[in-house]
Structure formats: C-alpha cells, structure tokens
Amino acid sequence: MSFNRIAIYGHRGWVGSPVLHALVAAGAPIKVLHRAGSDISSLPKGVTTAEVDLDDAQTLVPALQDIDIVLSFAARDVVPKQHSFIKAIPSTNVKLFVPSDLGFRVDKQGLSVPVNKAKQDVEEAAKAAGIPTSVVLVGAFTESALAFPILGIDVSGNRIIATGDSANQQLTFCTRNYVAAAYASIFAKTAPSQLQGRAIGLSEFKATGDEIAAVLREKHGAEPQKFVHSLEKVDSEIEQCVKNGTPTALSWYCRKAWGTGDLVKGLGKDIWEVEGYQKATLRGLLLEGKLESYKEIPPQIKQLFDAAFH
Ligand SMILES: NC(=O)c1ccc[n+]([C@@H]2O[C@H](COP(=O)([O-])OP(=O)(O)OC[C@H]3O[C@@H](n4cnc5c(N)ncnc54)[C@H](OP(=O)(O)O)[C@@H]3O)[C@@H](O)[C@H]2O)c1
C-alpha cells in the first residue's frame, strides 16, 4: 500500500500539531498549508510548505495540485473559512477532504450553537459540491474535559455536576495523543475511496459520572462535592447562552448530551480502533499523573465554567 499525499491546515494548532508529527512518523508525505506569518521554522524534516490565504480560494488551487487528502484543523472561529477549500478542491485532484470537526453528531438544539452549525454547513457544502468528504468525531478530549471543568468535572477541586442521567451515562474520551495516532492510522495509507462519506468515531475509553466520581473520591480520599442540574435547567442555560452569544453554550450542550446518552450515540457506529496502541485509562490519567495540560484558557472563560458549580 502506498502513502497518501497529505496536506495539513493548522500545523501549529492544539490538535493539528501532534497529528502532523504522528503522520510524519508514520512515513506519509506531508505538505503544510499555512497562512502568512505562521511559524514554519521547526517543521519535521521532509515536510513541504505552501503559503495560502483562507480568504482567497485561488491561493489553495496550486497548493493542492499534488495532494490526495486535505486534513483541516482550523480553529473554532476559523471553521467557516474552510468554504475556501470547497471552492478550490474541484480544480485539483484531491480525493478526500476532512474538515475540522473533532466533536460529535448533534441534534437540532446542538445546531443552535454557532460552531456546531458552522461545522455542519462546511460538511454539507462539501458534499453538495461533489467533494469526497469524511469527518473524524472525538467526543471529549481528556486534556480539556479533565483539566478544566468544561463538562462539570473539577478534578483539582473534587467537584462534579450530574446533568440529567450523567451519573449513569457514559462520556467518551480521547487523549490528544490517541487522536494523533488515530489520524496517522486512518489517513497515512488507507485508500481515500475507502474513507469517503464516513463519519469516523474515536473512543479511547468511556466512563460514567459515577465512575468518574469514584476516581475523584480515591484521588482526594473524600467524597466529591456533587451538584445536580436538571435537563430543563440546562435547556434554559443553552438557550440563554446562544441568545447572548456566551461562549459556554457548547459546554452546557455537551453536558446535556452526556446526561442523555446522546454524546456517545453522536460518535456513531463507525468507530476506528488504533491497532497496537496502549490506550489511556481514567485511573492512569487522574491517579498516576498522566493527564496532559490543555491550552491556556482566558480567566474570564474559566470563571464562566466555575460559575456552573451551584
Ligand atoms: N471535542 C473537543 O473536546 C475539542 C477540543 C479542542 C478542539 N476541538 C476541535 O478541534 C479543531 C481544532 O481546534 P484547535 O483547538 O486545535 O485549534 P487552534 O489550536 O486554536 O488553531 C488551529 C489552527 O487554526 C489557525 N488559525 C487560527 N486563527 C486563524 C485565522 N484567523 N485565520 C486562519 N487560520 C487561523 C491557526 O493557524 P496558525 O498556525 O497560523 O496560527 C492554527 O494552526 C476545532 O474544530 C475544534 O472545535 C475539539
């Protein structure tokens, strides 16, 4: 099996950066597409580059001439700019477009959250343009969900929010390293024709709210402080956040989807397993210090997450 020629947008990003290194380690030929001024000084050996401007689709056409697969890790606010790929790809020989997603399939309420809607719009526009497309769905990243109380799990403060039935419902987690290994295992060599049209789910491990609370208890030697949020309360919080443009709308929605079981269902049935990978465990991350840090979050956003514990 030969390698796919892969273009990556978002090489310095929190997700894109480890994926780039995993694909290079797997041996795939990589071209980094970067915006003007983006640092390309420390790319792994052999990686080629092309400067592009997501506001100008014409800059993408020459950059994509010798590419089989485009992997985009555009930041949340940049998701709509990916429509430029959709304009450019028909003038190239690209065989698969994988837009920035890394979330889970959401319902109508989930689509009221702007970033979810923007991701769906990109995927649908790509399909409507006849571009072979697939997405990778992740659920929760351990680094964001366990290092910050985004999902109502406050590891250092020994607190947990039960939303709806989240005490008994599973939450599905991936470490960033697992996601990187999965991208390499999926995209380095698989024929693009076998990947198109798929929503590929990744799940490194799952845990219910009660299982997470038990590990917190073991970690702190004390019962975690528990808060209970009804689904009605969360519905009203989501509605208010969407109306006011508050950035925690996604976090409330994810907690609800956990509490109804929709988050696990939203990964779909096409789950990709990374052969030979030693998966992380909740106990390993929380009790053996294996949890890695997340990117810096502004203090005012941290305060919003904190305010949910009541
Ligand atoms: N499920 C989860 O828990 C979870 C958690 C985190 C992320 N995600 C998803 O993963 C995807 C990637 O997120 P991320 O956190 O890795 O993103 P990120 O680190 O914030 O940024 C990724 C890339 O976006 C580019 N970018 C930033 N602003 C730009 C602009 N104005 N114009 C053009 N390019 C710009 C950056 O390019 P430069 O290198 O030039 O700066 C960067 O490399 C998103 O879809 C996000 O929603 C999911």
Side-chain angles (χ1 to χ4, degrees), residues 9-15 35 38 73-76 78 81 100-102 119 139 141 144 294-295:
Y9 185 83
H11 69 287
R12 292 195 313 155
W14 187 74
V15 184
R35 56 179 171 161
S38 187
F73 300 94
R76 244 166 237 173
V78 184
K81 287 182 189 278
S100 190
D101 194 311
L102 300 138
K119 287 178 177 177
F141 274 96
S144 55
Y294 191 52
K295 56 180 141 181

Side-chain angles (χ1 to χ4, degrees), residues 121-202:
D121 286 350
V122 168
E123 191 183 338
E124 287 190 347
K127 287 180 178 165
I131 296 170
T133 302
S134 62
V135 290
V136 177
L137 306 173
V138 165
F141 274 96
T142 56
E143 293 84 355
S144 55
L146 298 175
F148 284 98
I150 290 172
L151 295 183
I153 306 162
D154 179 5
V155 173
S156 57
N158 198 21
R159 300 183 296 176
I160 188 162
I161 301 172
T163 304
D165 190 32
S166 69
N168 302 303
Q169 294 289 343
Q170 289 179 316
L171 182 55
T172 178
F173 289 99
C174 287
T175 60
R176 187 168 68 136
N177 287 337
Y178 184 73
V179 172
Y183 263 83
S185 117
I186 298 168
F187 296 107
K189 285 191 166 177
T190 317
S193 58
Q194 288 180 29
L195 296 171
Q196 54 184 258
R198 290 171 64 177
I200 299 171
L202 304 179

Side-chain angles (χ1 to χ4, degrees), residues 104-122:
F104 60 98
R105 294 295 197 209
V106 301
D107 61 8
K108 196 169 160 224
Q109 186 181 41
L111 289 174
S112 70
V113 179
V115 66
N116 290 337
K117 177 73 169 64
K119 287 178 177 177
Q120 191 197 58
D121 286 350
V122 168

Side-chain angles (χ1 to χ4, degrees), residues 61-122:
V61 176
L64 294 178
Q65 282 316 315
D66 50 357
I67 293 299
D68 301 311
I69 298 179
V70 176
L71 301 179
S72 173
F73 300 94
R76 244 166 237 173
D77 295 346
V78 184
V79 164
K81 287 182 189 278
Q82 295 175 111
H83 286 277
S84 284
F85 284 109
I86 299 165
K87 287 188 194 134
I89 287 174
S91 307
T92 71
N93 292 316
V94 167
K95 300 179 185 74
L96 187 69
F97 175 43
V98 186
S100 190
D101 194 311
L102 300 138
F104 60 98
R105 294 295 197 209
V106 301
D107 61 8
K108 196 169 160 224
Q109 186 181 41
L111 289 174
S112 70
V113 179
V115 66
N116 290 337
K117 177 73 169 64
K119 287 178 177 177
Q120 191 197 58
D121 286 350
V122 168

